[in-house]
Amino acid sequence: MILRVADFVQLTDTGRERRSNEDNAFSRPPLFAVADGMGGARAGEVASGIVVETLEKGMPDEVGPEEGLAGLTREANQRIHQKATAEEERAGMGTTLTAAYVGDDEVAFAHVGDSRAYRLRDGKLEQLTNDHSLVGELVRRGKLTERQAEEHPQRSVITRALGPEAAVEVDSFSVDARPGDVFLLCSDGLTSMVEADTIADILREHDSMDEAARRLVDVANENGGRDNITVVLFRVEGVPEASDAAAEQPTVVGAEAPSAEEVRSATAAAPAAEAPAERAPRRTAPLPPRAEAEAPRKPRRSRRVASLLAVLTVVVLIGVGAWIGSRAVFFVGTNSQGVVTVYRGLPYDLPAGIHLYETYYTSGVPASELPADRRKRILDHKLRSKSDASDLVRKLELGQVSG
């Protein structure tokens, strides 16, 4: 059983007291993030925007999720710091960042500042990140209660952010995840206006990610909306590993994967069972003579039945062979909503609405967003191994597919 994102949503709102929105969010499964910018002359919006631009490059190759997220965070920090020191009107700008990456069996995080990450499991909400803020530090030292921190006059003073310094310390960690877990990333425009118990109630009461996100933002505004409010929600589910039958098939990747024509030829070559030979009727006494016109009827019917049985046997054998073969191959196409999807099986439809394939993974990438030449190359229904098809779509989600 491996994890994948079942549903997600991002929503941002200026709030009731700010004239502009300096928050930014990123939602491209399996990578999600919230960045809360700060600084005058819209500099905070620029800083949080640089975070999104950096994440759009995708996770670096050959490193683990934690290390990859931390590397992207440090890269964003360097870019923001360089811009802040080179442009006078951007001086002092910065941003928080809370990012999450969904792996096969856990979720990795990178965190700087006072935006937060939560996990809702079995109806219980758990805060996963520590606020890098003055009041957050006082709470951890036992000098303030959570309630006192919410009303503290210096609650907006953060002790760590991207941009102010050339180097930044990044909290990176991973937590286990189970099918059904819901994760929330949010700016402090939500948490400073809505108590954790209320957040948990809203998440429990709404099965729809869209409805839950909308309600969280509405409640933050109803309670004052003193800051920009940004919410990213995603739910994970489990996907079975390849079946034993598929696992026994040889693994081939990329150009070595069988073509559709090769699969058709292989399945058509399935040996057909021999039709049962006709038996002469066993007689115990001479039969009365029959008219010549009647004599051929029974043998002709027997041959017709035997031929039908032979055809059915061949069809069944071919069907079984095709089904077994289809469990080991995958292809990339689009679903009825035009979203890039990985399918297991063969890209063929039979009469009576029978499909030789099933949905394996639905990405978060609409095919319409792909350039025409890349769309044609990726959505060509070429047969692939599971890892080849999954890797291709995951890189597509992270913007790593070139050409």
Side-chain angles (χ1 to χ4, degrees):
M1 184 78 71
I2 61 175
L3 294 174
R4 73 173 181 185
V5 177
D7 194 11
F8 68 93
V9 65
Q10 74 175 44
L11 185 61
T12 188
D13 189 271
T14 303
R16 293 189 172 179
E17 294 189 4
R18 299 295 180 91
R19 289 187 293 180
S20 62
N21 192 342
E22 296 185 313
D23 286 0
N24 260 297
F26 183 88
S27 297
R28 189 178 295 171
L31 182 58
F32 303 89
V34 165
D36 181 356
M38 65 201 75
R42 303 180 71 90
E45 181 180 348
V46 173
S48 61
I50 290 175
V51 167
V52 171
E53 292 173 2
T54 304
L55 295 178
E56 285 176 342
K57 298 171 56 178
M59 293 282 280
D61 295 330
E62 300 178 356
V63 297
E66 284 185 38
E67 185 179 349
L69 284 178
L72 288 173
T73 303
R74 287 189 286 267
E75 180 183 344
N77 179 74
Q78 291 175 352
R79 293 180 59 192
I80 295 168
H81 182 72
Q82 289 170 358
K83 195 172 189 67
T85 54
E87 301 177 15
E88 186 176 349
E89 66 274 18
R90 310 297 187 196
M93 73 176 180
T95 183
T96 69
L97 172 62
T98 300
Y101 180 89
V102 181
D104 288 344
D105 55 7
E106 59 186 8
V107 180
F109 291 88
H111 171 66
V112 177
D114 63 352
S115 296
R116 293 181 181 177
Y118 292 88
R119 177 181 61 196
L120 182 75
R121 172 180 291 173
D122 299 330
K124 297 180 180 179
L125 187 68
E126 177 186 1
Q127 183 176 334
L128 303 175
T129 53
N130 291 319
D131 293 349
H132 299 143
S133 65
L134 178 61
V135 296
E137 185 61 33
L138 293 174
V139 169
R140 285 190 290 276
R141 293 182 182 182
K143 304 295 184 180
L144 290 177
T145 65
E146 291 285 353
R147 177 76 65 176
Q148 290 171 331
E150 292 173 2
E151 300 299 327
H152 197 281
Q154 294 178 308
R155 62 185 177 275
S156 60
V157 178
I158 64 175
T159 57
R160 202 186 302 179
L162 304 187
E165 303 294 336
V168 66
E169 182 181 354
V170 182
D171 287 356
S172 57
F173 59 94
S174 295
V175 300
D176 71 290
R178 302 174 189 168
D181 284 352
V182 174
F183 291 85
L184 165 66
L185 311 182
C186 59
S187 63
D188 70 331
L190 175 71
T191 55
S192 63
M193 294 287 99
V194 186
E195 294 182 352
D197 288 345
T198 303
I199 292 174
D201 289 341
I202 292 172
L203 295 180
R204 285 192 292 262
E205 291 167 2
H206 295 83
D207 292 331
S208 164
M209 296 279 98
D210 291 338
E211 293 176 0
R214 182 73 264 172
R215 185 57 186 154
L216 288 171
V217 171
D218 287 346
V219 172
N221 277 323
E222 290 167 6
N223 291 346
R226 292 195 299 263
D227 200 353
N228 307 144
I229 310 155
T230 299
V231 169
V232 170
L233 283 169
F234 61 91
R235 181 189 291 115
V236 297
E237 65 180 1
V239 179
E241 293 278 13
S243 65
D244 292 340
E248 293 174 359
Q249 302 294 323
T251 301
V252 290
V253 179
E256 296 181 1
S259 66
E261 187 60 37
E262 290 170 336
V263 171
R264 280 199 300 270
S265 298
T267 55
E274 292 184 4
E278 292 183 22
R279 284 186 178 181
R282 186 171 55 188
R283 299 174 179 174
T284 58
L287 293 178
R290 291 181 297 178
E292 269 187 39
E294 297 176 352
R297 287 179 185 173
K298 189 169 182 178
R300 194 158 47 234
R301 186 162 50 248
S302 297
R303 285 195 297 271
R304 195 158 49 242
V305 171
S307 298
L308 180 59
L309 288 174
V311 170
L312 288 175
T313 301
V314 171
V315 169
V316 169
L317 288 173
I318 291 177
V320 170
W323 184 85
I324 293 175
S326 73
R327 311 310 291 169
V329 292
F330 296 74
F331 66 93
V332 180
T334 57
N335 63 12
S336 58
Q337 285 76 45
V339 176
V340 177
T341 302
V342 177
Y343 294 95
R344 172 161 47 193
L346 305 175
Y348 306 115
D349 295 313
L350 299 180
I354 298 174
H355 308 301
L356 295 183
Y357 54 86
E358 63 184 14
T359 299
Y360 178 75
Y361 174 72
T362 302
S363 76
V365 181
S368 58
E369 291 185 0
L370 302 177
D373 56 340
R374 186 182 302 177
R375 187 187 315 146
K376 182 178 180 181
R377 178 169 58 86
I378 293 174
L379 307 177
D380 59 358
H381 291 181
K382 175 182 178 181
L383 297 183
R384 304 172 183 271
S385 69
K386 180 184 75 171
S387 61
D388 188 34
S390 298
D391 288 347
L392 172 63
V393 172
R394 178 157 287 193
K395 288 180 178 178
L396 184 66
E397 290 176 323
L398 296 176
Q400 296 177 343
V401 176
S402 59

